[in-house]
Amino acid sequence: MSDHDVPRASGALIAKERKVLEEIVGADTVHRALQNVPPAIRREYDTLTPLTKIPTEVVETVYEAVAHEAGRDVFRMHRDVVRTGVEQALKSIWRVLLRFTGDDALVRRTPLFFNRGLSKGELQAAMVGPGKAEIRLTGWAGVSAMQINGIAAAVEAVLSCAGRQNVRVESHRTLDGACLIATWD
């Protein structure tokens, strides 16, 4: 895989996630966990800036180390961090505006959140019934379970912040990425 093909996350997004991660498990726990990752990974994670594009593999290694240090399930912790980060980002007027956005318009805009955060793949989203949407990730064969987990958490958070109740997102891997089905009341 060439360096151009390496999936990367936005430095601004990961910096925000790090703050949330430190709020959830404690800055000391994150610091201790970083001492247990390879020096190259720690250096890349510690020196990211809002303009950095950091390999998702680096971010996932850090999440795994933090979860181990905190004694938490990495996927649950990751989901909590992503949800909290999205909720914090939507605290302003956006949350009020989202509540007045219809389901179809809201779902069609879901890919906009994704495109800012990750360099690989593309999301398409469509309503497939009342209170049900299909979100397809394409162009990322072999996408990691953690990336799918993060996309699902972000979709849940956006829909919940928009006032949808009992939001659930189930996912499964496809040959070209993943398929996520979001449902709500």
Side-chain angles (χ1 to χ4, degrees), residues 58-171:
V58 168
V59 177
E60 290 177 23
T61 299
V62 170
Y63 266 103
E64 289 165 3
V66 172
H68 178 75
E69 185 67 32
R72 296 188 62 169
D73 174 78
V74 68
F75 290 101
R76 183 74 251 155
M77 183 187 74
H78 179 242
R79 207 168 185 110
D80 291 345
V81 168
V82 171
R83 275 187 68 95
T84 302
V86 170
E87 288 168 358
Q88 288 176 358
L90 295 176
K91 269 189 175 174
S92 66
I93 189 73
W94 287 109
R95 187 173 286 200
V96 173
L97 292 174
L98 286 175
R99 290 186 181 272
F100 293 104
T101 303
D103 288 351
D104 187 58
L106 184 63
V107 167
R108 279 187 286 118
R109 286 176 178 81
T110 300
L112 298 175
F113 292 98
F114 175 84
N115 293 336
R116 294 175 189 229
L118 294 166
S119 69
K120 190 161 179 115
E122 183 179 327
L123 279 188
Q124 297 95 31
M127 293 295 298
V128 293
K132 186 174 185 178
E134 179 180 271
I135 301 99
R136 287 213 169 255
L137 171 64
T138 59
W140 195 347
V143 61
S144 73
M146 189 172 293
Q147 295 308 312
I148 296 169
N149 186 63
I151 294 166
V155 169
E156 284 178 0
V158 169
L159 289 168
S160 294
C161 287
R164 294 355 180 238
Q165 301 295 311
N166 301 313
V167 177
R168 295 163 306 286
V169 178
E170 300 293 329
S171 63

